[in-house]
Amino acid sequence: MNDPLHIVCPHCHSINRVPAARLDQQPNCGQCHQALFTAHPLELTQASFTRHVTRNDIPVLVDFWAPWCGPCKMMAPHFLRAAQQLEPAIRLVKVDTEAEQNLGAQYGIRSIPTLVLFRNGREVARQSGAMSAQDIVQLPHL
């Protein structure tokens, strides 16, 4: 359980090696010295998406959403509560499909909100529709 994991910093996007046993000990980034886990979903752009999805050794749960979407707005506080419960085991991130249309198209997002779980850069699960924090935490594929 002491094998180091690669964790991408939510602030400077540098890659950190953190012993698995230390994930629960609020590790800081070796580059910018800020917390690697903030208990808040991270907003990703086209520029940062690939690095976070492919270089994190922990699963990454992506909320594809849009600012004009009513169900997305309703789910946002639930996604935040899920991040508070699931980190550091899972990184929760958000992608605004209005601002990042290429990412939405690349991943075939046809309805929002859509949650997509990535492990080692590969999509392993997908769920569309607004969900409560409890439903997000209890997703069977997490």
Side-chain angles (χ1 to χ4, degrees):
M1 198 65 185
N2 275 335
D3 291 337
L5 298 174
H6 292 107
I7 304 295
V8 180
C9 177
H11 308 285
C12 70
H13 309 292
S14 65
I15 300 168
N16 292 266
R17 290 174 46 129
V18 179
R22 287 202 54 234
L23 285 183
D24 289 334
Q25 298 174 5
Q26 301 172 333
N28 289 331
C29 175
Q31 185 72 29
C32 72
H33 308 291
Q34 294 189 60
L36 288 176
F37 298 101
T38 62
H40 285 83
L42 174 62
E43 295 277 345
L44 296 182
T45 64
Q46 179 81 37
S48 58
F49 183 85
T50 301
R51 185 172 193 90
H52 282 270
V53 168
T54 62
R55 298 302 304 266
N56 269 308
D57 285 340
I58 59 173
V60 178
L61 182 62
V62 181
D63 174 15
F64 287 95
W65 70 286
W68 50 261
C69 168
C72 298
K73 289 179 186 179
M74 288 177 20
M75 190 175 90
H78 295 280
F79 199 67
L80 170 61
R81 282 196 293 278
Q84 294 166 345
Q85 294 177 49
L86 293 172
E87 279 193 355
I90 298 172
R91 168 84 71 205
L92 276 71
V93 302
K94 296 176 75 67
V95 172
D96 176 353
T97 58
E98 187 74 16
E100 304 298 336
Q101 294 180 13
N102 289 339
L103 282 174
Q106 179 180 348
Y107 289 97
I109 303 303
R110 306 228 186 284
S111 65
I112 50 174
T114 293
L115 299 180
V116 179
L117 181 67
F118 292 90
R119 282 197 179 112
N120 301 316
R122 294 191 166 179
E123 179 179 334
V124 296
R126 180 181 290 232
Q127 178 73 43
S128 293
M131 303 174 73
S132 71
Q134 181 179 1
D135 291 337
I136 295 168
V137 169
Q138 293 178 349
L139 284 170
H141 39 270
L142 295 182

